């Protein structure tokens, strides 16, 4: 498969764009692989890509029950950031941002990573103190954080209601300039193409229906397209973690599945060129290249495997949007959808060996899955290849909950709906 | 989504506060087995389908409810008072029900 380049663009334009080859093959499953990755979303595909690229393990299959990228990789609000407080989180998400910065080049695929910054608005002196503390922690960990006064915010994001009469007056904001957005589908397609070119089989419409076991050891999977054996089976299925792990006999995990809704408005002229979040409630918003405002808020707040939510959250998110940008009150909503989040008990992801021998698990992404895609894949690939976590994901193993070593960014305790 | 409060009748979801998974059983308070307590605090069955869970009619009669709801369709098949189904000797300790308050 050819490299994408200016030359290939010109050549294909000349021939009427009729000669483009599909970006990945559609192979039939082989009877056995070195590694099977269950889940053809962003994290699964990234894992396959880095297994091949960093570790030379190319006898790999990615099994996807539906179409490639039909889960959360296409359901998020495309935000990439690393504005965290705790050292373990800062190190992990900063590593991810660094991978993002070189990703289009590395994949030879334009993922449209746009470092337009993220601005967290603070609405009380206490919240300002908290954000400044977080900004200092980010800088201390080698990241970038800048405190903006209301006057600076007025210049950067003209639409924000900065009046003292606002229900939640803005006292300042924490800006992470290196944060931004990326084209989420392109991330899935780019990783898929990159993995496929290195020999990975991406098998769509292949649902895992059970696990092959030899005693405790996991030795393969049963699928809707037959049994496939493997030396190592890695699970990266985000919102389906509970269901898939139950097939392996694991019926208790430190996660709950919750639904998170997202929204898109009609297209507007350029309105906001950064990601803005509302601290008086919980809302994050950016403008896509097509002009739509893409935004979301809190979880619906109860266990759910349904990829749709209920109206109270819709109402709350809209009211926060109008509180932040009163000029958007008459903008019409075009689409809304839901995605299922695997919410961990401390709000931090799990990238781990186990819980069974021969098995590896990548889960617990809460709200943070999309921005973590490259780092999650890179570190999960390392964990699978070396049978032990990398230094960066060593704090993210499954046993941390039973060792008392939780990483609770928000200090909410084991209450997943609040993370 | 509506929840039919046994006291107030069918009311909108917005009136209710979710209090979490009702499948867990609090270990014997005298137990000092750390694994047992860790499992109680952190591990969940997280079923795709019928789920027993606690809600509070926070914007109404403030009763603590035990609801059986499908996590796939949001369909509710049963609603009762927590104290009818899971009598708890420690009920007076936290917001009416030690189990109802969730983790």
């Amino acid at each position: 498969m050819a490299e994408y380049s200016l030359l290939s663009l010109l050549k294909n334009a000349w021939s009427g764009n009729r000669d483009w080859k599909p970006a990945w093959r559609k192979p039939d499953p082989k009877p056995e692989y070195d590694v099977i990755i269950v889940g053809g979303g962003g994290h699964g595909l990234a894992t396959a890509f880095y297994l091949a690229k960093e570790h030379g393990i190319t006898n790999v299959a990615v099994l996807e029950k539906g179409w490639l990228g039909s889960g959360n990789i296409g359901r998020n609000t495309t935000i990439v950031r690393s504005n965290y407080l705790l050292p373990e989180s800062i190190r992990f998400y900063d590593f991810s941002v660094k991978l993002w910065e070189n990703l289009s080049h590395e994949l030879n695929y334009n993922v449209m990573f746009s470092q337009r910054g993220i601005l967290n608005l603070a609405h009380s002196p206490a919240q300002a103190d908290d954000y400044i503390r977080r900004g200092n922690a980010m800088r201390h960990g080698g990241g970038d954080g800048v405190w903006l006064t209301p006057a600076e915010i007025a210049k950067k994001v003209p639409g924000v209601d900065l009046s003292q009469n606002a229900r939640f007056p803005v006292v300042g904001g924490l800006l992470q300039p290196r944060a931004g957005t990326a084209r989420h589908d392109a991330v899935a397609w780019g990783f898929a193409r990159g993995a496929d070119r290195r020999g990975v089989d991406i098998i769509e419409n292949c649902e895992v229906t059970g696990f092959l076991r030899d005693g405790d050891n996991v030795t393969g999977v049963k699928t809707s397209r037959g049994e496939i054996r493997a030396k190592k089976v890695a699970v990266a299925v985000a919102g389906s973690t509970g269901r898939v792990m139950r097939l392996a006999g694991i019926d208790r995990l430190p996660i709950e599945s919750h639904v998170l809704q997202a929204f898109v408005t009609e297209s507007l002229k350029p309105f906001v060129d950064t990601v803005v979040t509302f601290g008086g409630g919980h809302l994050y918003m950016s403008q896509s290249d097509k002009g739509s405002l893409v935004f979301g808020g809190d979880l619906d707040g109860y266990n759910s495997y349904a990829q749709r939510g209920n109206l109270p959250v819709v109402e709350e998110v809209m009211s926060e949007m109008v509180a932040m940008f009163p000029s958007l009150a008459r903008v019409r909503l075009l689409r809304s959808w839901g995605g299922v989040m695997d919410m961990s008990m401390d709000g931090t992801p799990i990238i781990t060996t186990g819980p069974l021998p021969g098995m590896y698990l990548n889960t617990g992404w809460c709200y943070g899955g999309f921005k973590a895609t490259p780092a999650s894949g890179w570190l999960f690939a390392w964990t699978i290849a070396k049978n032990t976590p990398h230094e960066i994901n060593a704090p993210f193993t499954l046993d941390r909950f039973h060792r008392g070593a939780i990483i609770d960014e928000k200090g909410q305790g084991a209450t997943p709906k609040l993370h | 989504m509506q929840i039919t409060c046994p006291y107030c009748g069918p009311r909108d979801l917005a009136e209710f506060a979710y209090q979490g998974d009702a499948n867990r059983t609090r270990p014997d308070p005298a137990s000092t087995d750390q694994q047992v307590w860790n499992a109680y605090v952190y591990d969940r069955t997280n079923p795709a389908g019928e789920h027993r869970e606690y809600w509070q009619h926070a914007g109404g009669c403030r009763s603590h409810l035990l609801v059986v709801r499908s996590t796939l369709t949001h369909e509710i098949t049963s609603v009762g008072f927590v104290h009818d189904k899971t009598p708890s000797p420690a009920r007076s300790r936290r917001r009416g029900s030690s189990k109802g308050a969730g983790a």
Side-chain angles (χ1 to χ4, degrees):
Chain A
M1 217 164 290
E3 286 278 314
Y4 292 150
S5 65
L6 185 60
L7 193 71
S8 75
L9 270 179
L10 289 172
K11 213 174 103 194
N12 281 286
W14 188 255
S15 59
N17 287 315
R18 282 185 299 267
D19 300 329
W20 288 111
K21 298 282 180 292
W24 57 88
R25 298 164 294 130
K26 304 245 179 223
D28 287 322
K30 291 192 275 189
E32 183 163 2
Y33 289 91
D34 289 342
V35 179
I36 284 177
I37 296 166
V38 184
H43 291 219
L45 294 164
T47 305
F49 173 78
Y50 288 114
L51 268 176
K53 179 167 182 278
E54 301 290 334
H55 305 283
I57 301 172
T58 55
N59 187 21
V60 176
V62 178
L63 309 182
E64 166 56 44
K65 74 173 171 187
W67 301 104
L68 190 146
S70 52
N72 287 350
I73 186 71
R75 289 173 180 271
N76 54 73
T77 45
T78 80
I79 298 165
V80 175
R81 60 186 175 84
S82 62
N83 50 358
Y84 283 77
L85 174 70
L86 300 178
E88 296 88 350
S89 314
I90 292 173
R91 197 163 46 162
F92 173 75
Y93 288 106
D94 257 353
F95 177 56
S96 198
V97 169
K98 281 176 191 149
L99 290 173
W100 277 108
E101 284 170 338
N102 191 39
L103 196 59
S104 293
H105 177 72
E106 191 176 18
L107 294 175
N108 178 232
Y109 200 101
N110 187 4
V111 299
M112 297 165 73
F113 182 45
S114 155
Q115 289 180 293
R116 58 185 65 186
I118 185 166
L119 175 64
N120 302 136
L121 298 178
H123 304 266
S124 69
Q127 196 171 29
D129 285 350
D130 184 44
Y131 282 15
I132 290 168
R133 176 185 175 222
R134 182 151 54 89
N136 285 337
M138 286 153 61
R139 295 174 73 111
H140 191 64
D144 55 332
V146 185
W147 180 252
L148 299 188
T149 62
E152 289 165 323
I153 292 170
K155 240 185 269 172
K156 185 160 179 62
V157 193
V160 175
D161 182 2
L162 291 166
S163 75
Q164 283 309 300
N165 298 328
R167 174 65 183 81
F168 298 101
V170 173
V171 301
L174 177 64
L175 177 73
Q176 187 192 15
R178 282 164 66 239
T181 59
R183 170 94 167 90
H184 52 191
D185 298 318
V187 176
W189 299 333
F191 274 122
R193 176 171 168 273
D196 179 271
R197 291 169 93 202
R198 287 167 174 80
V200 172
D201 284 356
I202 295 164
I203 302 161
E204 294 168 88
N205 295 309
C206 180
E207 183 172 0
V208 168
T209 55
F211 287 83
L212 301 174
R213 302 281 288 270
D214 178 11
D216 266 355
N217 286 306
V218 174
T219 56
V221 291
K222 295 177 200 163
T223 75
S224 52
R225 296 179 66 176
E227 291 188 356
I228 312 174
R229 305 192 77 79
K231 295 188 184 75
K232 298 177 177 184
V233 176
V235 177
V237 295
S240 300
T241 304
R243 278 192 276 193
V244 171
M245 293 304 284
R246 193 158 272 127
L247 299 174
I250 307 291
D251 59 0
R252 282 167 192 273
L253 282 169
I255 57 165
E256 273 183 9
S257 300
H258 284 252
V259 61
L260 176 63
Q261 301 190 63
F263 310 89
V264 163
T265 68
E266 59 190 333
S267 288
L268 307 178
K269 289 183 177 175
F271 175 75
V272 54
D273 64 356
T274 185
V275 183
V276 191
T277 76
F278 181 65
H282 186 198
L283 177 121
Y284 34 92
M285 187 266 256
S286 64
Q287 188 167 21
S288 78
D289 293 350
K290 286 187 289 188
S292 326
L293 303 173
V294 183
F295 58 106
D298 266 325
L299 297 171
D300 269 37
Y302 43 83
N303 291 48
S304 174
Y305 280 86
Q307 286 174 322
R308 59 195 166 83
N310 277 294
L311 290 171
V313 166
V314 179
E315 200 174 354
E316 186 186 311
V317 170
M318 299 310 141
S319 62
E320 288 177 8
M321 177 90 141
V322 174
M324 189 160 67
F325 293 108
S327 57
L328 295 178
R330 291 170 62 198
V331 171
R332 280 167 295 190
L333 195 66
L334 212 58
R335 293 186 288 130
S336 75
W337 65 93
V340 181
M341 311 287 113
D342 41 344
M343 303 298 295
S344 70
M345 289 294 148
D346 58 357
T348 297
I350 296 161
I351 307 176
T352 192
T353 56
L356 297 169
M359 185 183 241
Y360 304 81
L361 181 63
N362 175 318
T363 185
W365 289 99
C366 304
Y367 282 61
F370 180 68
K371 64 177 157 293
T373 305
S376 163
W378 200 98
L379 293 164
F380 198 34
W382 173 290
T383 306
I384 297 163
K386 315 236 178 213
N387 258 331
T388 183
H390 184 272
E391 183 190 350
I392 296 178
N393 68 310
F396 295 173
T397 53
L398 190 56
D399 65 351
R400 71 171 181 268
F401 296 98
H402 288 205
R403 285 189 291 113
I406 57 165
I407 306 165
D408 193 341
E409 189 73 24
K410 285 192 184 169
Q412 300 281 24
T415 315
K417 66 174 180 175
L418 299 178
H419 286 299
Chain B
M1 198 162 112
Q2 282 189 339
I3 296 176
T4 306
C5 171
Y7 194 75
C8 312
R11 294 296 184 93
D12 189 79
L13 173 67
E15 293 186 11
F16 296 86
Y18 186 57
Q19 306 281 22
D21 192 334
N23 295 301
R24 301 184 298 147
T25 320
R26 185 181 285 266
D28 175 5
S31 163
T32 54
D33 185 335
Q34 197 179 329
Q35 290 308 310
V36 169
W37 281 99
N38 282 341
Y40 167 71
V41 173
Y42 294 116
D43 293 347
R44 303 285 188 276
T45 52
N46 192 30
E50 200 171 86
H51 189 232
R52 282 159 44 86
E53 55 198 24
Y54 295 120
W55 289 79
Q56 190 194 7
H57 194 186
C61 64
R62 302 196 63 76
S63 298
H64 286 275
L65 307 174
L66 179 64
V67 175
V68 181
R69 182 182 62 92
S70 167
T71 57
L72 290 166
T73 62
H74 300 160
E75 187 192 0
I76 292 170
T77 43
S78 126
V79 185
F81 293 117
V82 167
H83 54 80
D84 289 342
K85 298 277 176 68
T86 53
S88 162
R91 213 195 303 160
S92 60
R93 278 172 55 204
R94 266 170 65 189
R95 283 201 271 158
S97 161
S98 65
K99 287 186 177 176

